[in-house]
Amino acid sequence: MEVTLNLENTSSKDISIMVDAFRASTSITLALGKFNEVIPTFTPEKAKKLAKEKNGILAGERMGKALEGFDMGNSPVEINELNTKLKTLILTTSNGTRILENMKSTVLIGCFINAKAVAKKSLILAKENNYNHIDVVMAGWKGNFAIEDFLASGEILYWIQKELCENHTIGEDFDISEYAQSAILASRDYKKLKEVIYNTKSSKRLKKLGYEKDIELSLKKNINNNVAIYNEGVLKLFK
Amino acid sequence: MEVTLNLENTSSKDISIMVDAFRASTSITLALGKFNEVIPTFTPEKAKKLAKEKNGILAGERMGKALEGFDMGNSPVEINELNTKLKTLILTTSNGTRILENMKSTVLIGCFINAKAVAKKSLILAKENNYNHIDVVMAGWKGNFAIEDFLASGEILYWIQKELCENHTIGEDFDISEYAQSAILASRDYKKLKEVIYNTKSSKRLKKLGYEKDIELSLKKNINNNVAIYNEGVLKLFK
């Protein structure tokens, strides 16, 4: 079993775990507790068209801000508080949804809130399909490194490593890349991790836009067992 | 003041701190306690020629191994134990010396053993010259990320950050990149850091070649105040 970490593009043909910790991954993970499906969409125009066709809720942002004419922004707090009988969420975001398009592997969605769950499910999926490469892919910000994605990846990788060490039937021989190991090391001190993330430019931008509660929620570790799997353009709960 | 972290190529025109923790940076730092100068050389042939011209000691490696016809390998332990009256060391290594060639900024040499010293001196140099960008540059391994360089960089960046926080006259406003901050976070738990580095492929290769003591020495934190500065092809003690 090979376990790696990359930015924006995956190096795996087997399994990729997409991590956009602020806020797409968290929104998707929570949305699948309410909706049957989340359809990530790459332009606001296509999102609007699809929402009509599917009779769905329309959510999305550009530069952190909610889009005009949309039901809501890309806010995990708003999605969590939503009361609706509709079954489809259409979501368009700056980073997270854009990079899904290019992934040729099976894609799961990971973040702080489901780190342990996505780690376990990625290994189950690997075992069932005889896959031997799990790549954790940071969405980043416009092609650049984003520390919240690095640290959320570190939390996911920590649980993958733990599972591989304790459960030898999964991956007799396993290799965790040095970059992945560095993310695990960086993510161990939760108090320092939160301090650092609260002071980034992304956090400051979200606070300015009034989304401070989204930061708090996105940083909670392992409070949710939902894992989204991406298939033919649609995200569903992986069971 | 801007503080960044990069792999192999520097993004600064002001000051770069080259970090090749195993073993070039450590060898150079120790060598300047014995020699007046260290001349990094990019081919073994040129190293041999220069050693004759300068009446110097000839040290170097390829793939970790000492080179035939050389006085010694690139071993900080051997350099530290050396007894000689000669004043020049000629050094050729796989990674560290190669990347110096392309740097257009002022270059200092950093590693675990002089982390605090190189951090302080980089800020003194910045203040004296009105420079406002310090870039820590990991040598890596053949263009790839190497965790020992990331973690040694984290230790150096920790001291730069501490100094900037405590001494406001240096850099009124400062920005430490998110990648640099992730290296600081990853380097804080020294016990875990050593455990991880001891189990990398680089460590295993060095152990196999009989250089285990070089690993121990290269991982000692802040035991040396030597800081090498690179100027017109020659490394000298920065005073």
Side-chain angles (χ1 to χ4, degrees):
Chain A
M1 174 71 73
E2 194 188 349
V3 182
T4 53
L5 174 65
N6 277 290
L7 174 61
E8 219 177 29
N9 294 301
T10 188
S11 64
S12 175
K13 285 177 185 165
D14 296 342
I15 300 172
S16 311
I17 301 176
M18 198 280 282
V19 179
D20 190 4
F22 282 175
R23 298 168 289 173
S25 293
T26 311
S27 294
I28 292 164
T29 301
L30 288 168
L32 286 172
K34 309 210 169 216
F35 296 93
N36 288 343
E37 56 180 14
V38 175
I39 307 182
T41 310
F42 307 103
T43 65
E45 294 68 35
K46 205 178 163 204
K48 281 185 182 175
K49 198 166 157 268
L50 259 175
K52 269 188 197 160
E53 280 174 31
K54 297 265 182 183
N55 188 27
I57 295 277
L58 187 55
E61 53 84 16
R62 282 297 175 275
M63 303 298 289
K65 272 189 212 171
L67 290 159
E68 223 188 295
F70 274 50
D71 299 311
M72 58 202 310
N74 172 26
S75 161
V77 167
E78 286 176 22
I79 287 173
N80 211 27
E81 289 170 354
L82 194 68
N83 237 324
T84 177
K85 282 182 181 162
L86 300 183
K87 289 300 168 201
T88 299
L89 182 76
I90 318 290
L91 181 69
T92 179
T93 75
S94 315
N95 290 286
T97 55
R98 180 175 49 87
I99 69 168
L100 285 173
E101 205 173 29
N102 298 317
M103 292 190 175
K104 301 302 175 208
S105 56
T106 301
V107 182
L108 305 177
I109 307 297
C111 48
F112 282 109
I113 70 164
N114 76 344
K116 188 174 172 178
V118 75
K120 287 199 171 201
K121 293 213 168 155
S122 70
L123 289 167
I124 292 169
L125 191 65
K127 200 180 175 191
E128 282 175 0
N129 293 278
N130 261 330
Y131 286 150
N132 56 28
H133 184 183
I134 298 173
D135 186 29
V136 178
V137 184
M138 304 177 283
W141 177 255
K142 296 183 183 180
N144 295 314
F145 181 90
I147 199 164
E148 66 273 15
D149 293 344
F150 182 72
L151 296 172
S153 297
E155 179 68 19
I156 295 166
L157 288 158
Y158 168 79
W159 290 105
I160 292 179
Q161 183 185 46
K162 196 170 161 72
E163 199 76 6
L164 284 169
C165 286
E166 288 170 3
N167 189 345
H168 290 291
T169 61
I170 302 176
E172 296 280 323
D173 247 356
F174 63 89
D175 181 64
I176 298 175
S177 78
E178 293 189 13
Y179 194 36
Q181 288 182 54
S182 76
I184 296 175
L185 274 180
S187 66
R188 289 309 82 212
D189 187 329
Y190 188 47
K191 194 168 156 256
K192 272 191 202 148
L193 170 158
K194 283 197 286 187
E195 244 174 63
V196 170
I197 293 183
Y198 260 94
N199 284 301
T200 59
K201 281 173 198 151
S202 297
S203 289
K204 285 174 186 159
R205 190 172 46 237
L206 285 175
K207 279 182 216 163
K208 225 180 199 172
L209 294 166
Y211 288 118
E212 184 153 2
K213 284 192 175 165
D214 278 352
I215 305 175
E216 281 166 34
L217 178 54
S218 298
L219 288 180
K220 287 195 193 296
K221 287 202 294 189
N222 304 314
I223 56 162
N224 196 295
N225 287 319
N226 291 348
V227 176
I229 185 165
Y230 184 65
N231 196 17
E232 295 187 6
V234 180
L235 291 153
K236 292 200 169 164
L237 208 56
F238 175 60
K239 283 168 186 166
Chain B
M1 174 71 72
E2 193 190 348
V3 183
T4 53
L5 173 64
N6 275 291
L7 174 61
E8 219 177 31
N9 295 302
T10 188
S11 64
S12 176
K13 284 176 186 168
D14 297 340
I15 300 173
S16 310
I17 302 176
M18 197 280 284
V19 179
D20 190 5
F22 282 176
R23 297 170 288 172
S25 293
T26 312
S27 293
I28 291 163
T29 301
L30 289 167
L32 286 172
K34 308 209 168 216
F35 296 93
N36 288 342
E37 55 180 13
V38 175
I39 307 182
T41 311
F42 307 102
T43 65
E45 294 67 34
K46 203 178 163 205
K48 281 184 183 175
K49 199 168 156 270
L50 260 175
K52 269 187 196 161
E53 280 173 32
K54 298 266 183 181
N55 188 28
I57 295 276
L58 188 55
E61 52 85 17
R62 281 298 174 276
M63 304 297 289
K65 271 190 209 171
L67 289 158
E68 224 188 294
F70 274 48
D71 297 312
M72 57 201 313
N74 171 25
S75 162
V77 168
E78 285 176 22
I79 288 174
N80 211 26
E81 289 171 351
L82 195 67
N83 235 324
T84 177
K85 284 183 180 161
L86 300 183
K87 289 299 168 201
T88 299
L89 181 76
I90 319 290
L91 180 69
T92 180
T93 74
S94 316
N95 290 288
T97 56
R98 180 176 48 85
I99 69 167
L100 285 174
E101 207 174 28
N102 298 318
M103 291 188 178
K104 301 300 174 209
S105 58
T106 301
V107 182
L108 305 177
I109 308 296
C111 47
F112 282 110
I113 70 164
N114 78 343
K116 188 175 171 178
V118 76
K120 286 198 171 204
K121 293 211 168 156
S122 69
L123 289 168
I124 291 169
L125 191 65
K127 200 179 174 193
E128 281 174 2
N129 294 277
N130 262 331
Y131 287 150
N132 57 26
H133 184 184
I134 298 174
D135 185 31
V136 178
V137 184
M138 304 177 282
W141 176 256
K142 297 182 182 179
N144 295 314
F145 180 91
I147 198 164
E148 66 274 14
D149 293 343
F150 181 73
L151 295 172
S153 297
E155 178 68 19
I156 295 166
L157 288 158
Y158 168 79
W159 289 105
I160 292 178
Q161 183 184 45
K162 196 171 161 71
E163 199 76 6
L164 285 170
C165 287
E166 288 170 4
N167 187 346
H168 291 291
T169 62
I170 301 177
E172 296 280 321
D173 247 356
F174 62 90
D175 181 65
I176 299 175
S177 78
E178 293 189 13
Y179 193 36
Q181 288 184 53
S182 76
I184 296 175
L185 274 180
S187 67
R188 290 307 83 210
D189 187 330
Y190 189 47
K191 195 169 159 254
K192 271 191 204 149
L193 170 158
K194 284 198 286 187
E195 244 175 62
V196 170
I197 294 184
Y198 261 93
N199 284 301
T200 58
K201 281 172 198 152
S202 296
S203 289
K204 285 175 186 160
R205 190 172 48 238
L206 286 174
K207 279 183 215 163
K208 225 181 198 170
L209 293 165
Y211 288 117
E212 183 153 1
K213 283 190 177 165
D214 279 351
I215 306 176
E216 281 167 35
L217 179 54
S218 298
L219 288 181
K220 286 194 195 297
K221 286 203 293 189
N222 305 315
I223 55 162
N224 197 295
N225 287 319
N226 292 347
V227 176
I229 186 165
Y230 184 65
N231 195 17
E232 293 187 8
V234 180
L235 290 153
K236 291 198 169 165
L237 209 54
F238 175 59
K239 282 168 187 168

